Amino acid sequence: MTRLVRELGRTPVHLGPGGHVEALPAFTGTMDWYAAYARRTQADGPDGRLVALHCLDADWDSWEMHPCGDEVVVCLAGELTLIRESPEGSHVRETLRPGDYVIIPSGVWHTADIARLATALFITTGHGTQHRPRP
């Protein structure tokens, strides 16, 4: 019998239309991994969701934006501060502690600062995700 148990921090999951669930290849943390994910799930368009668990130990070095759907970020351990950018360019900072979550609306640029080691669950529409460097 095939073993079904996987570690979410190493092998994220794709939730597709019609209740389809797919275990993804091992997460490398590189933009190449995300590009391969986008190619693999392109047919699902905005109806697909990436579910990933990340241990975070440093501030993000880029901003990201998901144009095709909202993102849910759940803090499971530690503390992280999500920073959202308004259309006018101002920044809204919200600190998450274990059990807290935030819904980042579609089209909103965001990044994160990590005060101390944090573990977070991300559920997002990866389709069309954009990145830009963080100064």
Side-chain angles (χ1 to χ4, degrees), residues 69-93:
D70 302 338
E71 179 174 34
V72 178
V73 179
V74 183
C75 179
L76 300 175
E79 180 178 304
L80 64 130
T81 300
L82 284 172
I83 305 161
R84 292 179 290 126
E85 185 175 80
S86 74
E88 300 79 32
S90 64
H91 295 158
V92 176
R93 302 172 65 87

Side-chain angles (χ1 to χ4, degrees), residues 43-116:
D44 291 351
D47 292 329
R49 298 288 183 274
L50 174 62
V51 179
L53 180 73
H54 296 296
C55 290
L56 308 164
D57 63 0
D59 297 348
W60 293 7
D61 61 2
S62 65
W63 290 84
E64 69 177 17
M65 186 269 290
H66 311 288
C68 297
D70 302 338
E71 179 174 34
V72 178
V73 179
V74 183
C75 179
L76 300 175
E79 180 178 304
L80 64 130
T81 300
L82 284 172
I83 305 161
R84 292 179 290 126
E85 185 175 80
S86 74
E88 300 79 32
S90 64
H91 295 158
V92 176
R93 302 172 65 87
E94 296 178 294
T95 299
L96 284 75
R97 293 176 182 86
D100 293 343
Y101 74 91
V102 66
I103 299 170
I104 301 170
S106 174
V108 173
W109 285 97
H110 56 283
T111 190
D113 285 344
I114 311 303
R116 58 178 193 254

Side-chain angles (χ1 to χ4, degrees), residues 4 8 11 13 18 29 34 44 51 70 73 83 92 105 111 123 129-130:
L4 299 178
L8 187 58
T11 56
V13 172
Y34 286 106
D44 291 351
V51 179
D70 302 338
V73 179
I83 305 161
V92 176
T111 190
I123 305 169
T129 294
Q130 298 173 31

